[in-house]
Structure formats: C-alpha cells, structure tokens
Amino acid sequence: MIEIVRGEHDTGPPPRRDHPVLTLLRHDLPASLVVFLVAVPLSLGIALAAGAPLLAGLISAVVGGLVASLLGGSPLQVSGPSAALTVVLADTISTYGWAVTCAITVGAGLLQILFGLTRVARAALAISPAIVHGLLAGIGVTIVLGQLHVVLGGRAQGSAVANLLALPGQIVGHHDQAVLIGVLTVAILVAWPKMPAAVRKVPGPLAAITVATGLSVVTGMTLPRIDLPGSLPSLSLVPQLPGGGWAGAGVAMVTIALIASLESLLSAVSVDKLRGGKRTDLDRELIGQGAANVAAGALGGLPVTGVIVRSMTNYEAGARTRASAILHCCWILAFCLLLTGVLRYIPLAALAGLLVYVGAKLVNLPALKEVLRHGDIAVYAVTVAGAVAVNLLTGVAAGVLLALVFMLRRMVYSGVHVEAGDGRARVVIEGALTFLSVPRLTKVLAEVPARADVTLELLVDYLDHAAFDCLRDWQQAYTRAGGTVTVDEIGHPWFQRGSSGEPTVRRSVAARVVPRWLAPWSQWQAEHTVVPGQRTGSPLGRGASEFQRRTAPLLRDTLSGLAHGQQPHTLFLTCGDARIVPNLITTSGPGDLFTVRNIGNLVPTASDGSDSSVGAAIEYAVGVLKVPEIVVCGHSSCGAMKALLGQAPEGMAQLGSWLRHGEPSLRRRAAEAPLLLDGRRPAAEADQLALHNVVQQLDHLRRYPVVAAALARGELTLTGMYFDVGAAQVSLLDAAGRDFVPAGAATH
C-alpha cells in the first residue's frame, strides 16, 4: 500500500515535563545521595593509592566536581579523582613532591581549556561503539573482580589480574560478617526493580546501603567501615613551581591532561549512548574539566576527570539534570565537615556490594549482541582485555589500533575481482581506490588472461593518484601486449577525468550521477560515450543488455520468489506519458504495483461497455488479487488534458473516441471551485483540469460493483495522486478532496 505517514516516530502526545523543583526532589536529590556514597570512599582510596594527602581526594571531589558540573557540557557527568591517573600521580608525587604536583595539575587544567577552545574534542565521536562498550565492560569487570574480595571479607589486590588469580582462594577461604553484608546489599539491588512501584520510589542503591548499614549497627557487627580522619589536617593550598626538571614536569603535565581529557570524553560519550537525547558539547566539557583541574590543583587537590563509575552510577540512580552532580559535591562537603561520624558507620562490604552491582551493569549484554551483529567483536574483546589486564588507556589504545587495522584492511581489499572466459575478461573494481589498494590491485590485474577483450568496470567513489597511475599503466601495457581494454565508468568519471589531465581530487566536487537503472538511456549514454557490448542496436536493446549485466543479478532472488504468482499491494492507474515511472515515484519494486496505463489516466464508467480493458483490470485487481489500495495518478503538462481543452491533434479518430471518457472531468472543472496544489491554483488550465480529472476518476471507480463492495467491507482505500514533472514532486489528495498536498506532509 502506498502510505504517507506523518511523524512516524510519534507515539502519542509529548510526555509531561515535571517542574524543575519536582525533578530535583524526585530524581536528582536521591541520585546525588547515591553518588555521594560511592564518591567518598573512591576519592579517599585514590588519594591513598597515589600517595597524596588523604584530604586531597575529598578536596578534588568537592571543588573539582563542583566546577566541572557547573561549567561542563555533560549534564549527567560526575567528576572527581580517577583511578586512571593513580600511576602517573604516584610517580609525579614521588619525583616532585605534593606542592609541585598541585602546580602540574593546574598546568594540565590550562592545557585542557586550550584543547576545548581549539575544538578538538569532537574527535572522540569517531571512536567505534565497540570500543566504548568494551571500555565500559572492562571497567565493569575490573570493578567486580576487585570488590568481590571486599564482599567476601578480604582485600582487593593491586590489579585486576591479581584479583582474578586470588579470587578462588578468597571464595574457599574463611568468610565473616562482611560476606553477609555484601551479599545482602547485592541481593537488595537485584530484587529492587521487582518491588512495588511505591517502594521503588526510593532508589535501590540508597535502600541497599541503608538496610545493610542498619543491620550491621543493630546487630553489633565488627567489620571494616569507612575510615575518615578525626580532624581536618592543614594543607599547603598554594602550588609551587618546580625548582628544576622542567622537561619532566612538562611531560607529566601533558600526560595528565591527555589522560584526564580522554577519560572525561569517553565517559561523556558512554553516558550519551545510554541516556539518548541531545549529545554532549564535548568542547565545553573539556573546558569545564580544565577549569575544575585548575581549581582543584590551586586548592591542594588531586587532578579530576569525568569518572565513568560515578557517572554511570548517577545515571542508574535516575538523575535527570546536572543538579545531581552539584548536590553530591555539597553532600561530601557537609558530611565531611559536620557528620563524619555517620559516614564511619557504613561498612566497606556494603559499598563493595554496591560497586559489584554497578560494575556488573556496565557489562551490557544487549550492546554486546549489537557489536557482534556489526562484526566488531574482536575490537570489543581486545578493548576489554586491555582494560582488565593492563589499564583503561591501554584497552582503548588497543581497540583503536585494531579498528584502524580493520579499516585499512577493508580499504586495501576493495571490491576487485576478475571474471574471465571465451577470450573475454571483466574486471570489476568497487569502493574507494587509494594507494593502500595498489598492491592488491596489481596482483588481481596480473590474473587477467593475456590478449583478451577486457572490460574494466569502475564503480568507485574515490580514485587517488597512485591508484589512477596503476590502472592507466596496466591499461597501456596490456594494450601494447595485444589485448584490448575498454573502461566503463559507472558514476562519476574519475578515471576519464584523470586521463584527460583534469583529475577530480576531492569527493566533494564529484558530480552526482544518476544510476543507469534510473536515468534514461539517452542521459547516461551521453555521459558514457563508449559502453562495452552496447555499441549497436536499438536503445531498448542496449537498455535490456544493461539490465541483464547489472540489474538482473541484484533482482534474481527477488524475482525468483515471484515466479509463480503475484501479490501486489496497489492497483496503480496512471497516464501513458513516458515521463511517469510508477515504480520510481512510489519507491516500489517488482511485484508491488498492478499497473494500468492509458491516455489521460481515464476510468470509463462501469456502465460504459465500449471499452472493457480498464474495467477488466479493476475487477481482476480487486476481486482476484485483493489489492488493498487503488491509486489514480495524474500529472502536469498532460497531453490528454490539453486535448480535452481543444488542443487535440487533427485526424486522430481513435484518440478522440477515447477522450470522450474525460468529458465528465471537463464538466466537473466548469461546475466546481478550483482545486489547489499545495495551497495554490496551478497556472496552466491543463494542470487544473488534471487535478479535477483525478477526482472524477475516483468517482468512476466507486461505481464499480466490485470496488463498492470492497469499500463497504473496509478492505479498500482509494487514493488520488498528482505528479509535477518539472518539480519532481508527488502530491496526494487530502481527506476533504479539495487540495493536493506534498506527499511528505500528507495525512493519508
């Protein structure tokens, strides 16, 4: 059925938007508490692992996180100290001391601001989804492996590999109260989505931590809990420039800036893939992250990044706006200043259970299936392995490197093949042909039999200098050796332009060429003056030969399924005018349209027995084929309409006899108001008559008994259509029957 749908993605009225205050209370406030619970131990742990003052982690979480949330481009990104920077920071602190490290952090932030201002961040969008999902999965596996030890009452090892190797011993070893708390936390998180809606108003992570903490306190369990300093130590908040070793400090500054930028951008892109909607302004995100590092370093904090664990936790907890990330900074500050004692009640096993759940959610099975369908599973696996076995950046680098290798392989192995036999050979080359393809191209061309009649078919969308030289040199050498080579370019004449000394050097300036199976023979023959095997015979014969060579192989499977019967969805009644191509203007294929063509797209009345051809087609299409739609299509500049208006050629009795079926259309035009085409009356009277003619023929159709019965049963739809040849515009008759509107805007 020919159906034009407006707003095909509409699923109903637009969703009701909550008031910002309600969004804050319902979603962002609870999410901020969950992120706060995750951020505090992570910030302290990273500071401890890097050898920095313990409070530096909290300063970064508060100051850096707040500045990045206010100025960054990702609304759900949560920033703070990152494990990805631990190794670099540990080496920098041991080499230069803490105060100089703060200055290096400030310098790294200034570099990030420069990156954002130069708008280089958009390059992150070029990263393959397989790498992004592999990164998430690798982080998830690393988190699970490490935190499972804590859940089982032990301590996490120094790396994911060490955690994996030690896990069997941890499982069979002695288990204490921590196991109960950790398992209880995970169990609550797993069961929470199945709870009643009223219960699920409380975020699952918050409920799990609260229940686990309450149980541990009420039962008097003695197990490791969050450890904070009893008082706030005094730190030097003014960074110091290095007394020497400026080159090494500069390298550290660039390294921190690059790592922090990469992790922040990957985190933002990953969150974008989950939340949907408008993409993050990545350049603004870099500027925000840079400003956060300047502020954190100036106040004695660690470098910050957009942290994937906290950001994903924020998303999973239901955050809707950047208010959640801002509030989580406020909670860290408030609790550390006022309620440090409350934090000390939270068991580390409960937080570990929360992190195990969050980590497991990062291994997205639907995303893995999507990657598998696209053939990128190797890139995904390498990214996961690198992130788990070494570190985050190694995983990303390995994934990018493998993706580039695959890309180069696809370019090198462009569609080049030879078909030979009976003294003839056909060399088909498809895709982009660059210097990378020259070795394989040379190898394939060497397989062409000597002294054969060769047709070189080029279906390329780009041809660079090296590839052109390779083809031209081979053509000349093969011809000198006694063979013949005829170049048949399909599409833009890359090779022809190169041979004429005016090569096309950019895709953007390549002419848009209508494919041969759509363009008239006269058009593409004029652009391709020498077409192998089609230099003699009629245009129709040459066109049939072209179909057999190019189109038939593409349609053979489709047509084989139609060999024993047809099930068209539309009876298409239109004019015999050569400019009207029904399948083209309706994007239909073989078996879709049952087409009836005549002069003026006329439908004789059912009672008129002088011409039964059209009536027979109507009865067969509706009564036997059961088509659900009939379309009557008129068109602009119709010769039949001009003839009805008195411009008929002389001496054509048969034409005059046939056109009497159009007289009711003349009477309709005289009696009724003008019909409109996209809100305007056509300037030509013949075009106005063509519109009335479509409506009149629809009336004639309704009087056929078989059509009337199908309409009464609700099994048939009648559609009026008009094609403006010069504008290439299809219009449909609206429901009121008074206006023809462009197909893209029609409600039919």
Side-chain angles (χ1 to χ4, degrees):
M1 180 181 296
I2 300 174
E3 184 175 6
I4 306 299
V5 180
R6 171 182 289 172
E8 63 182 10
H9 298 294
D10 290 346
T11 57
R16 179 178 62 85
R17 294 185 180 274
D18 289 338
H19 189 277
V21 175
L22 291 179
T23 300
L24 176 66
L25 295 176
R26 291 180 180 176
H27 305 287
D28 294 326
L29 180 60
S32 69
L33 291 170
V34 175
V35 179
F36 149 70
L37 292 172
V38 174
V40 169
L42 288 178
S43 300
L44 294 172
I46 292 169
L48 186 63
L54 199 60
L55 193 59
L58 297 177
I59 292 174
S60 296
V62 175
V63 178
L66 182 62
V67 173
S69 300
L70 290 172
L71 302 181
S74 178
L76 300 187
Q77 180 101 287
V78 180
S79 300
S82 169
L85 291 169
T86 301
V87 175
V88 177
L89 282 174
D91 182 64
T92 304
I93 293 171
S94 64
T95 303
Y96 298 100
W98 173 242
V100 174
T101 301
C102 291
I104 291 174
T105 300
V106 173
L110 294 175
L111 279 178
Q112 286 183 285
I113 294 175
L114 180 61
F115 293 160
L117 292 176
T118 54
R119 306 188 69 80
V120 300
R122 288 172 293 180
L125 296 177
I127 296 177
S128 167
I131 296 174
V132 175
H133 291 303
L135 170 66
L136 294 177
I139 292 172
V141 170
T142 302
I143 292 172
V144 170
L145 290 176
Q147 296 305 312
L148 272 177
H149 285 277
V150 181
V151 169
L152 295 173
R155 299 186 59 149
Q157 308 299 310
S159 68
V161 174
N163 283 322
L164 179 62
L165 295 176
L167 191 58
Q170 187 70 58
I171 292 175
V172 301
H174 172 69
H175 298 153
D176 55 17
Q177 298 169 333
V179 177
L180 174 63
I181 295 301
V183 172
L184 175 64
T185 303
V186 174
I188 293 174
L189 290 168
V190 171
W192 204 253
K194 302 178 182 178
M195 294 291 183
V199 176
R200 284 187 280 110
K201 290 182 178 179
V202 178
L206 185 58
I209 295 296
T210 302
V211 171
T213 301
L215 178 64
S216 69
V217 172
V218 170
T219 58
M221 293 182 180
T222 56
L223 69 171
R225 301 178 188 270
I226 289 180
D227 185 19
L228 288 176
S231 60
L232 299 181
S234 175
L235 292 177
S236 174
L237 301 181
V238 180
Q240 294 180 2
L241 295 176
W246 285 88
V251 171
M253 185 185 304
V254 172
T255 303
I256 291 174
L258 291 176
I259 294 176
S261 298
L262 179 60
E263 183 174 9
S264 297
L265 294 178
L266 291 179
S267 174
V269 170
S270 301
V271 174
D272 281 352
K273 289 183 179 296
L274 292 178
R275 70 181 179 88
K278 185 179 180 181
R279 287 186 181 274
T280 292
D281 183 341
L282 297 180
D283 295 305
R284 176 183 169 184
E285 180 63 24
L286 270 191
I287 294 173
Q289 293 294 333
N293 275 321
V294 171
L299 295 176
L302 294 169
V304 300
T305 75
V307 185
I308 188 65
V309 174
R310 302 180 198 185
S311 300
M312 299 303 290
T313 301
N314 191 39
Y315 170 80
E316 294 289 346
R320 298 289 179 85
T321 70
R322 64 181 71 238
S324 174
I326 294 172
L327 284 174
H328 111 280
C329 301
C330 300
W331 300 137
I332 297 175
L333 179 62
F335 272 74
C336 290
L337 292 177
L338 305 175
L339 299 171
T340 305
V342 175
L343 288 177
R344 294 195 185 103
Y345 284 112
I346 299 177
L348 292 181
L351 290 177
L354 171 61
L355 290 174
V356 166
Y357 178 79
V358 171
K361 295 275 286 184
L362 292 178
V363 184
N364 191 330
L365 293 181
L368 176 57
K369 293 178 180 178
E370 187 72 16
V371 168
L372 186 61
R373 281 196 295 268
H374 284 275
D376 289 335
I377 190 63
V379 175
Y380 178 93
V382 165
T383 304
V384 172
V388 172
V390 187
N391 55 47
L392 170 71
L393 292 179
T394 300
V396 172
V400 170
L401 181 60
L402 185 59
L404 289 174
V405 170
F406 285 160
M407 180 194 70
L408 292 176
R409 182 180 182 277
R410 293 185 186 108
M411 293 185 67
V412 170
Y413 283 82
S414 299
V416 182
H417 66 274
V418 178
E419 301 173 5
D422 298 328
R424 294 181 177 274
R426 180 168 169 250
V427 181
V428 181
I429 303 176
E430 301 174 288
L433 207 58
T434 69
F435 66 95
L436 296 172
S437 305
V438 169
R440 172 170 165 77
L441 179 61
T442 303
K443 177 182 177 182
V444 173
L445 292 176
E447 300 172 0
V448 178
R451 292 182 293 278
D453 292 331
V454 180
T455 300
L456 180 61
E457 296 185 2
L458 297 179
L459 296 85
V460 299
D461 56 7
Y462 180 72
L463 182 69
D464 76 354
H465 190 187
F468 168 76
D469 276 351
C470 177
L471 288 175
R472 183 183 57 182
D473 293 347
W474 173 82
Q475 179 191 29
Q476 294 172 349
Y478 192 86
T479 302
R480 287 195 298 268
T484 62
V485 178
T486 304
V487 179
D488 181 14
E489 285 198 272
I490 302 167
H492 182 78
W494 296 92
F495 188 82
Q496 178 183 324
R497 292 287 299 272
S499 300
S500 66
E502 298 178 353
T504 304
V505 296
R506 297 191 305 275
R507 279 194 179 102
S508 59
V509 298
R512 298 176 61 185
V513 180
V514 180
R516 293 183 181 178
W517 46 88
L518 295 181
W521 165 267
S522 57
Q523 179 176 334
W524 61 262
Q525 186 189 34
E527 296 171 353
H528 303 79
T529 54
V530 179
V531 181
Q534 297 183 358
R535 283 168 273 184
T536 61
S538 68
L540 188 61
R542 295 194 294 269
S545 176
E546 179 74 11
F547 166 82
Q548 206 60 49
R549 294 171 63 232
R550 304 214 186 279
T551 312
L554 302 176
L555 292 177
R556 189 165 289 120
D557 291 342
T558 299
L559 292 174
S560 66
L562 299 170
H564 303 294
Q566 59 173 323
Q567 290 182 317
H569 56 60
T570 302
L571 167 59
F572 199 89
L573 286 154
T574 191
C575 184
D577 193 294
R579 298 168 294 178
I580 310 302
V581 186
N583 291 98
L584 177 61
I585 67 174
T586 60
T587 316
S588 305
D592 292 338
L593 304 182
F594 188 80
T595 306
V596 175
R597 307 188 67 153
N598 60 54
I599 301 300
N601 47 275
L602 300 176
V603 179
T605 59
S607 59
D608 189 337
S610 61
D611 187 291
S612 59
S613 171
V614 177
I618 294 170
E619 289 182 348
Y620 186 77
V622 178
V624 178
L625 299 178
K626 306 296 184 183
V627 296
E629 183 174 25
I630 301 178
V631 172
V632 176
C633 179
H635 66 96
S636 62
S637 189
C638 179
M641 298 301 104
K642 294 177 181 178
L644 282 171
L645 291 173
Q647 304 175 35
E650 296 181 359
M652 295 187 178
Q654 295 296 326
L655 177 61
S657 176
W658 170 253
L659 289 179
R660 63 184 176 80
H661 297 302
E663 292 175 359
S665 299
L666 280 173
R667 294 193 293 269
R668 174 182 286 271
R669 168 178 166 272
E672 297 191 4
L675 291 173
L676 302 180
L677 182 62
D678 193 17
R680 297 184 299 273
R681 176 175 177 171
E685 287 301 318
D687 293 346
Q688 174 64 205
L689 178 57
L691 299 178
H692 280 287
N693 184 57
V694 169
V695 177
Q696 184 64 40
Q697 305 318 308
L698 292 174
D699 284 348
H700 288 178
L701 279 170
R702 294 184 181 95
R703 299 172 192 172
Y704 279 78
V706 67
V707 173
L711 288 172
R713 294 192 301 269
E715 298 174 354
L716 184 63
T717 300
L718 301 184
T719 299
M721 180 180 291
Y722 181 84
F723 183 60
D724 187 331
V725 176
Q729 175 64 59
V730 176
S731 297
L732 301 179
L733 183 64
D734 66 9
R738 300 304 310 165
D739 195 2
F740 284 79
V741 296
T747 55
H748 185 75

